[in-house]
């Protein structure tokens, strides 16, 4: 299996959130931060960037460059909420997610072409999911390693998608300025410039020994490798997930119990599959429903016994949904499992019927692993009869 790493970076994140929350700001030069005396710009919308405004610029300078700019205070709590939604989506696309900041992460998507048909379609679907759910564009780079993925996500910002394939590592970065190399600061850049190097390819065309003399052994070898597009670092998911959940935002609002239950069945299959992949079981099941006016309803329950069965997740979602007031025009549904149990704890409760079910899920999962996650889900949704299995 070939390694593919994705770098996702939200476009002008803080400014975009402001533009989503207040439609009057769309298409206008929005500058978040720098509103107070001696303040510094946190994020400028692309409309403001046209005037030369960028992050870390003193607010006074930004005002001079873009007097018509709309300066807004930083609303960290709100950005954190949106960030949490984005990271929930990331977790649906990869079990290995490494956050870099509030709006940026590496995802190891090796092997995901089986589930999403291709690397390209995986990236497109992720972009669409984020846009549909949050209203914000993301730029994505996919490459054989972290270094190239990060470079790729930046190449076509905003709303960019660039894929660097295996075999294109070296050629994809040959023409780039040296400052793009990870670890090349102003000082190193100046030294390289003095050696006559301008582009990444100049390093490879030069002599490794003169590079070592100028920069020292360690930096020289590091740059020599990067210039060839080599980077062995793994995606490191820094924390063990406390919950596993899936959310779906619908292109058109949905209503009616039957349709809602069909969606929950789909969500239960996704969450169940992910739990089994991670070999954990959840005791607490939660649902989320958001209506067209963005009111969000949640309900959760702790079961007597932990589960990773689609059928139990689905039935629980059904029970929880019935506790909500009657909702029309639902734009989002979510299902989450949390409160995980240790594997040792599980075996104590095994009985014959459960062992049978476990075998069934093992068979389903091996098919899913072979042919992609959707193969069985789709069949089940098309064939309504099968739904009776769950009721
Ligand atoms: Mg960003």
């Amino acid at each position: 299996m070939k390694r593919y790493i994705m770098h996702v970076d939200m476009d002008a994140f803080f400014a975009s959130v402001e533009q989503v929350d207040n439609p009057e700001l769309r298409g206008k030069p929005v500058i978040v931060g720098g509103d107070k005396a001696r303040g510094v710009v946190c994020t400028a919308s692309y409309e403001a960037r046209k005037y030369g405004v960028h992050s870390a610029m003193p607010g006074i300078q930004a005002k001079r460059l873009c007097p018509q700019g709309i300066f807004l205070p930083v609303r960290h709590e709100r950005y954190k909420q949106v960030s949490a939604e984005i990271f929930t989506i990331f977790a649906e696309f990869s079990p290995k997610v490494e956050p870099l900041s509030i709006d940026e992460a590496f995802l190891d998507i090796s092997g995901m072409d089986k589930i999403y048909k291709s690397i390209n379609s995986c990236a497109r679907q992720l972009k669409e999911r984020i846009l549909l759910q949050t209203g914000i564009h993301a730029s994505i780079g996919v490459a054989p390693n972290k270094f190239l993925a990060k470079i790729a996500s930046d190449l076509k910002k905003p709303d960019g998608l660039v894929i660097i394939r295996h075999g294109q590592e070296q050629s994809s970065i040959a023409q780039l300025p040296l400052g793009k190399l990870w670890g090349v600061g102003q000082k190193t850049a100046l030294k390289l410039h003095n050696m006559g190097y301008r582009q990444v390819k100049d390093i490879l065309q030069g002599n490794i020994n003169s590079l070592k003399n100028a920069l020292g052994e360690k930096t020289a070898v590091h740059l020599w490798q990067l210039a060839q597009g080599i980077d062995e670092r793994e995606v490191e998911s820094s924390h063990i997930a406390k919950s596993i959940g899936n959310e779906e935002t619908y292109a058109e609002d949905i209503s009616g119990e039957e349709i809602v239950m069909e969606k929950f069945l789909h969500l239960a299959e996704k969450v169940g599959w992910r739990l089994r992949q991670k070999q954990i079981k959840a005791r607490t099941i939660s649902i989320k429903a958001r209506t067209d006016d963005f009111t969000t309803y949640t309900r959760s329950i702790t079961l007597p016994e932990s589960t990773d069965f689609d059928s139990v997740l689905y039935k629980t979602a059904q029970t929880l949904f019935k506790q909500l007031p009657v909702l029309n025009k639902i734009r989002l549904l979510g299902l989450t499992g949390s409160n995980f149990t240790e594997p040792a704890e599980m075996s104590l409760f095994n009985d014959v019927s459960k062992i049978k079910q476990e075998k069934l899920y093992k068979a389903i999962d091996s098919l899913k692993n072979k042919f992609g996650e959707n193969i069985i889900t789709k069949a089940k949704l098309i064939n309504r009869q099968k739904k009776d299995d769950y009721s």
Side-chain angles (χ1 to χ4, degrees):
M1 186 169 63
K2 280 186 176 165
R3 184 167 82 148
Y4 272 110
I5 290 169
M6 183 188 264
H7 179 252
V8 190
D9 185 16
M10 303 305 294
D11 300 327
F13 184 53
F14 295 177
S16 301
V17 173
E18 298 297 344
Q19 287 175 323
V20 166
D21 286 355
N22 181 358
E24 281 179 19
L25 297 174
R26 291 178 200 166
K28 293 186 182 155
V30 172
I31 297 157
V32 178
D35 53 325
K36 294 197 187 94
R38 301 175 69 186
V40 166
V41 175
C42 286
T43 313
S45 72
Y46 279 86
E47 295 85 359
R49 291 182 195 197
K50 280 184 204 150
Y51 296 90
V53 179
H54 57 77
S55 48
M57 174 182 273
I60 294 175
Q61 196 185 344
K63 249 170 216 165
R64 217 180 294 131
L65 289 168
C66 183
Q68 69 276 53
I70 301 160
F71 287 76
L72 299 173
V74 183
R75 292 191 299 151
H76 272 298
E77 285 312 308
R78 176 66 188 133
Y79 311 143
K80 272 190 216 160
Q81 281 175 355
V82 181
S83 171
E85 296 205 356
I86 293 163
F87 275 83
T88 302
I89 300 173
F90 289 165
E92 289 171 21
F93 278 76
S94 169
K96 275 169 106 183
V97 177
E98 180 180 337
L100 294 179
S101 72
I102 190 166
D103 73 319
E104 214 184 317
F106 284 121
L107 281 66
D108 190 330
I109 55 158
S110 313
M112 293 298 164
D113 46 338
K114 267 193 241 162
I115 293 167
Y116 296 95
K117 286 192 187 124
S118 68
I119 293 292
N120 184 25
S121 122
C122 173
R124 286 200 178 283
Q125 286 185 49
L126 176 56
K127 275 168 71 77
E128 268 167 37
R129 281 278 281 117
I130 294 173
L131 181 63
L132 200 60
Q133 185 155 339
T134 66
I136 302 174
H137 287 284
S139 288
I140 292 184
V142 184
N145 60 54
K146 281 180 168 180
F147 160 61
L148 292 177
K150 192 155 165 53
I151 284 191
S153 72
D154 198 43
L155 288 177
K156 290 202 176 147
K157 256 183 169 298
D159 197 18
L161 170 57
V162 174
I163 299 176
I164 298 173
R165 308 244 166 218
H166 286 262
Q168 299 175 334
E169 290 93 337
Q170 202 170 310
S171 60
S172 62
I173 51 167
Q175 318 283 332
L176 290 180
L178 290 164
K180 291 275 177 190
L181 288 182
W182 163 54
V184 174
Q186 276 183 352
K187 240 170 140 185
T188 311
L190 188 67
K191 280 183 193 169
L192 292 167
H193 201 266
N194 288 339
M195 291 168 77
Y197 296 170
R198 300 288 181 273
Q199 294 176 322
V200 173
K201 68 173 161 47
D202 297 335
I203 291 182
L204 297 177
Q205 281 160 8
N207 183 318
I208 178 93
N209 287 325
S210 50
L211 201 63
K212 282 181 185 170
N213 288 337
L215 305 173
E217 172 94 19
K218 219 178 141 191
T219 310
V221 172
H222 169 73
L223 288 188
W224 190 261
Q225 289 208 322
L226 287 184
Q228 296 173 75
I230 298 171
D231 173 19
E232 301 292 348
R233 292 173 300 160
E234 295 287 333
V235 171
E236 301 192 25
S237 9
S238 49
H239 59 280
I240 298 157
K242 289 203 175 73
S243 68
I244 285 186
N246 280 67
E247 290 182 351
E248 285 177 350
T249 307
Y250 307 108
E252 273 173 43
D253 295 337
I254 59 165
S255 41
E257 202 178 310
E258 197 182 342
I259 295 176
V260 169
M261 288 314 149
E262 199 168 285
K263 302 292 184 195
F264 271 126
L265 175 60
H266 187 227
L267 286 166
E269 288 180 330
K270 289 197 154 194
V271 175
W273 186 66
R274 287 176 60 203
L275 288 168
R276 295 190 299 276
Q277 291 294 297
K278 292 212 169 197
Q279 298 184 322
I280 44 177
K281 296 186 183 192
R283 260 194 82 192
T284 304
I285 313 298
S286 316
I287 61 156
K288 187 196 241 183
R290 183 175 290 161
T291 45
D292 64 330
D293 60 353
F294 274 82
T295 313
T296 305
Y297 301 84
T298 56
R299 287 290 181 279
S300 57
I301 188 169
T302 298
L303 303 169
E305 215 177 289
S306 62
T307 190
D308 60 359
F309 290 167
D310 303 355
S311 53
V312 177
L313 292 168
Y314 172 65
K315 269 188 218 162
T316 311
Q318 214 169 13
T319 311
L320 290 172
F321 187 76
K322 283 183 180 146
Q323 294 173 7
L324 296 180
V326 176
L327 302 178
N328 290 311
K329 293 192 179 176
I330 296 169
R331 58 170 279 126
L332 175 147
L333 287 175
L335 176 63
T336 302
S338 59
N339 191 4
F340 299 139
T341 48
E342 299 291 322
E345 203 180 317
M346 296 174 205
S347 55
L348 293 175
F349 297 100
N350 278 345
D351 57 38
V352 178
S353 76
K354 270 183 74 182
I355 290 168
K356 257 188 176 173
Q357 281 223 55
E358 265 166 16
K359 273 188 183 163
L360 174 72
Y361 282 113
K362 265 198 187 124
I364 292 173
D365 290 347
S366 75
L367 281 175
K368 285 188 176 186
N369 279 326
K370 225 181 199 166
F371 299 110
E373 190 194 344
N374 292 327
I375 180 163
I376 289 168
T377 307
K378 270 187 190 143
K380 210 170 271 167
L381 286 176
I382 290 164
N383 184 0
R384 291 278 189 89
Q385 280 307 104
K386 285 255 177 111
K387 225 174 69 177
D388 297 340
D389 296 348
Y390 288 98
S391 52

